[in-house]
């Protein structure tokens, strides 16, 4: 049930949907409570930490702040750490994927919170400027626009910039499982493995011979 949304039904079924939503929320609270009890009994229970994180993520989606989402991240990161300690590496890929989704959700939600705060601050400044008799209406409008340019216009679409060092030099996509060759270039692990199988032990960018065993030594799991 990770990140699944309950769709709002047509008006004719609103009351029925409300009841279903209440049942779903109660189930979430019960599952969350069960997971906490399981963690109390065994703090190294991978599944319990992960399920607890899932429930916190569900709670956090409908709350104003990001506190629950951050707690969910810590629970899932705990699961990931336990996987390595218990030799359960087969679960790491799914855990990493869910953690990345959760980080993305937290980031977007924080952006919306910051956007709303910025709107409220600008509205307050605009109201204060109405009491400023030292400027005429045009002067106030120009001064307000200068302030907007400094703090940023919350009504403009966000522009995203991903630093090049976070992009795979093969796929040109954001990396989630990065590895580095002796040349200093970084790649998505799966993309590099595919390239090496097809082209042999050469660096995709420099085309120089590389030591594949040294790549593994340089590999660092993403946090």
């Amino acid at each position: 049930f990770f990140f699944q949304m309950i769709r709002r039904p047509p008006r004719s079924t609103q009351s029925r949907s409300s009841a279903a939503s209440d049942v779903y929320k109660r189930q979430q609270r019960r599952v969350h409570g069960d997971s906490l009890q399981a963690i109390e009994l065994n703090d190294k229970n991978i599944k319990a930490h992960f399920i607890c994180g899932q429930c916190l993520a569900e709670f956090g989606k409908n709350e104003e702040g990001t506190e629950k989402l951050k707690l969910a991240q810590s629970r899932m990161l705990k699961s990931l750490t336990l996987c390595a300690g218990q030799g359960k590496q087969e679960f790491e890929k799914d855990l990493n994927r869910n953690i990345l989704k959760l980080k993305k959700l937290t980031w977007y939600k924080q952006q919306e919170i910051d956007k709303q705060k910025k709107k409220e601050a600008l509205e307050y400044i605009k109201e204060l400027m109405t009491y400023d008799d030292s400027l005429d209406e045009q002067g106030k409008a120009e001064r307000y626009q200068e302030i907007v340019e400094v703090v940023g216009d919350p009504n403009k679409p966000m522009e995203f910039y991903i630093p090049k060092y976070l992009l795979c030099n093969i796929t040109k996509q954001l990396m989630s499982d990065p590895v580095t060759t002796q040349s200093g270039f970084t790649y998505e692990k799966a993309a590099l493995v595919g390239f090496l199988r097809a082209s042999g032990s050469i660096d995709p960018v420099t085309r120089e011979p590389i030591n594949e065993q040294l790549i593994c030594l340089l590999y660092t799991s993403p946090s």
Side-chain angles (χ1 to χ4, degrees), residues 1 4 6 19-29 58 61:
F1 49 78
Q4 290 179 346
I6 298 176
S21 177
D22 290 341
V23 170
Y24 178 76
K25 289 176 182 177
R26 285 198 298 271
Q27 288 175 340
Q28 287 288 317
R29 288 193 291 269
E58 286 291 324
K61 285 191 303 184

Side-chain angles (χ1 to χ4, degrees), residues 20-220:
S21 177
D22 290 341
V23 170
Y24 178 76
K25 289 176 182 177
R26 285 198 298 271
Q27 288 175 340
Q28 287 288 317
R29 288 193 291 269
R30 179 178 57 78
V31 172
H32 179 242
D34 290 344
S35 67
L36 289 175
Q37 287 183 7
I39 291 169
E40 260 189 65
L41 293 171
N42 180 11
D43 188 52
K44 295 183 178 180
N45 188 323
I46 296 172
K47 186 176 181 181
H49 281 287
F50 178 63
I51 291 175
C52 183
Q54 284 184 313
C55 292
L56 287 169
E58 286 291 324
F59 300 153
K61 285 191 303 184
N62 300 314
E63 293 189 358
E64 291 185 2
T66 58
E67 182 181 351
K68 286 283 196 312
L69 295 177
K70 290 177 179 177
L71 287 173
Q73 284 186 45
S74 67
R75 287 295 184 184
M76 291 192 181
L77 286 169
K78 176 76 171 180
S79 287
L80 188 62
T81 303
L82 290 171
C83 281
Q86 297 178 25
K88 301 287 187 181
Q89 284 82 2
E90 65 269 21
F91 301 129
E92 288 183 359
K93 187 174 181 180
D94 285 338
L95 278 168
N96 269 317
R97 185 171 62 250
N98 282 321
I99 290 168
L100 287 172
K101 286 180 180 178
L102 184 52
K103 285 182 176 180
K104 182 178 179 181
L105 175 63
T106 305
W107 186 86
Y108 275 114
K109 190 158 191 176
Q110 187 61 54
Q111 292 300 307
E112 289 301 317
I113 291 170
D114 294 344
K115 182 178 178 180
Q116 184 59 35
K117 287 181 178 179
K118 193 179 291 186
K119 281 183 177 180
E120 292 172 359
L122 287 171
E123 286 297 323
Y124 180 65
I125 291 170
K126 196 172 187 178
E127 182 181 352
L128 289 178
M129 290 179 70
T130 61
Y131 301 103
D132 186 356
D133 297 330
S134 64
L135 295 172
D136 58 19
E137 291 303 316
Q138 183 177 349
K140 290 177 182 179
E142 290 174 354
R143 178 66 57 83
Y144 179 75
Q145 190 56 42
E146 289 173 1
I147 294 171
V148 170
E149 288 176 3
V150 171
V151 302
D153 187 348
N155 296 313
K156 279 188 177 180
M158 289 185 291
E159 295 182 1
F160 301 105
Y161 169 73
I162 302 176
K164 287 185 178 180
Y165 64 83
L166 295 178
L167 300 177
C168 170
N169 282 285
I170 297 173
T171 65
K172 306 303 180 185
Q173 300 295 317
L174 183 66
M175 294 178 291
S176 62
D177 195 5
V179 293
T180 306
T181 63
Q182 300 96 301
S183 64
F185 289 98
T186 308
Y187 307 93
E188 180 69 24
K189 186 177 181 180
L192 181 60
V193 168
F195 177 88
L196 295 176
R197 286 176 180 170
S199 305
S201 299
I202 59 173
D203 189 280
V205 174
T206 66
R207 315 303 290 184
E208 295 178 355
I210 57 175
N211 185 336
E212 294 187 32
Q213 291 185 344
L214 187 55
I215 293 171
C216 294
L217 292 174
L218 291 172
Y219 170 63
T220 303

